Amino acid sequence: MFNESDAPQPPKVLNTPLEIAANLRQLLDSHDPLIITFHERSQRFQSYVVHVDRDSNTLALDEMIPRDGEKYIENGEPFRVEGFHDGVRIAWECNTPLTITEVDGHRSYRGPMPEEMTYHQRRNAFRAALKLSQLVDVFLDGTHIKGTGALRGKLLDISATGCKMRFDGDVEGRLQLGQVYERFKAGNPLGLTDVMVELRHLHFEERINTTFAGVRFHNLNGQAQRKIESFVYQLQREARRFDKDDY
């Protein structure tokens, strides 16, 4: 079904300042959301890379969402940072206390760049984008959705392990990063009902008044897994056919 280039790649450990700074800059330039987890604590927090200085070997992270995670920074507790850029997982440990600063009303946490970083290109999870004319309706609901009624949006891309969707307006306040929602549905031709998903990314783009959310499928049954894999394969075949038509 997939060729060898789609096989999973083993994670690499980056330990040169040049490689580490380059990957941090990618996260910074793309405004990719980060998930922060403190050791011994189950809650997850969201942040972003807001500053990378190769000359001084310093890094700054944006104010955490929700902000109550800041007290763990103040306590000097070690934490793990995980981000995704173009399907590549980029993660590192922060064992050095960070300094909380505020510039022009924006809080950030500053400290040295990590000495090593995990870089994992997971090609086995081919991510297929949907054409704008073929976007599938999605519905997200569950006991932990804040407010009333399900969130209705559009599916943007999908892989065997998760998907990305968009919602009109700012719905960040209704969702919590790291939370599992038990009623995710996707319309035809995918046709998924009541699939559990874990929220991994959440970002409101004010310029276009749209919220983007990325989820990982959670405890999929065999039937749902087969539906997703078949749909991804179909999109992959269409994309390859489209590429050939360009020549």
Side-chain angles (χ1 to χ4, degrees):
M1 192 163 162
F2 298 105
N3 60 33
E4 285 184 15
S5 67
D6 295 318
Q9 304 293 306
K12 299 177 186 175
V13 177
L14 309 179
N15 49 30
T16 69
L18 190 64
E19 289 178 310
I20 290 169
N23 281 281
L24 289 172
R25 242 181 229 112
Q26 282 190 328
L27 294 171
L28 169 67
D29 294 342
S30 300
H31 201 60
D32 294 314
L34 306 175
I35 295 175
I36 291 179
T37 49
F38 289 87
H39 302 181
E40 311 295 325
R41 302 186 184 277
S42 59
Q43 190 176 5
R44 300 179 179 207
F45 303 90
Q46 180 172 305
S47 184
Y48 297 89
V49 176
V50 291
H51 177 76
V52 178
D53 190 330
R54 170 85 174 78
D55 294 332
S56 61
N57 194 45
T58 56
L59 161 74
L61 301 177
D62 197 17
E63 179 181 343
M64 275 192 286
I65 304 169
R67 187 168 159 180
D68 55 356
E70 195 172 287
K71 61 190 175 192
Y72 307 135
I73 294 272
E74 290 175 333
N75 293 342
E77 295 187 25
F79 58 89
R80 182 168 185 76
V81 186
E82 180 182 40
F84 291 86
H85 179 78
D86 287 345
V88 176
R89 177 177 172 270
I90 298 170
W92 68 93
E93 300 280 344
C94 183
N95 299 310
T96 308
L98 301 183
T99 303
I100 300 174
T101 61
E102 189 159 333
V103 179
D104 298 329
H106 298 289
R107 293 177 79 79
S108 63
Y109 318 117
R110 293 178 181 264
M113 289 197 297
E115 293 184 358
E116 67 175 37
M117 173 182 280
T118 302
Y119 178 98
H120 192 188
Q121 186 161 5
R122 298 181 298 181
R123 292 183 185 170
N124 59 322
F126 174 84
R127 186 169 288 277
L130 282 76
K131 297 175 185 174
L132 285 175
S133 59
Q134 298 175 336
L135 297 187
V136 173
D137 291 325
V138 292
F139 306 85
L140 185 62
D141 200 2
T143 53
H144 297 286
I145 290 270
K146 297 169 186 172
T148 56
L151 291 174
R152 297 168 179 264
K154 296 286 187 181
L155 184 69
L156 298 179
D157 67 32
I158 185 168
S159 75
T161 56
C163 65
K164 183 178 179 181
M165 48 198 159
R166 73 171 193 219
F167 301 101
D168 291 337
D170 184 358
V171 300
E172 278 191 319
R174 298 190 60 190
L175 298 168
Q176 171 63 52
L177 206 66
Q179 184 64 60
V180 173
Y181 298 95
E182 61 269 30
R183 292 195 292 279
F184 169 79
K185 301 179 183 181
N188 290 325
L190 181 50
L192 287 179
T193 57
D194 293 343
V195 167
M196 296 175 70
V197 294
E198 179 191 0
L199 186 65
R200 302 287 292 178
H201 307 300
L202 186 64
H203 173 61
F204 172 61
E205 191 63 60
E206 188 175 2
R207 184 173 49 86
I208 53 175
N209 193 34
T210 301
T211 301
F212 295 94
V215 298
R216 179 178 292 174
F217 298 126
H218 191 76
N219 292 344
L220 280 177
N221 62 37
Q223 183 185 17
Q225 185 77 58
R226 286 189 295 274
K227 277 187 177 182
I228 292 166
E229 288 175 355
S230 174
F231 187 60
V232 171
Y233 182 52
Q234 177 190 335
L235 291 172
Q236 188 178 22
R237 286 184 62 187
E238 287 179 3
R240 284 176 175 165
R241 190 166 64 243
F242 183 75
D243 286 344
K244 286 178 184 174
D245 290 344
D246 281 350
Y247 289 102

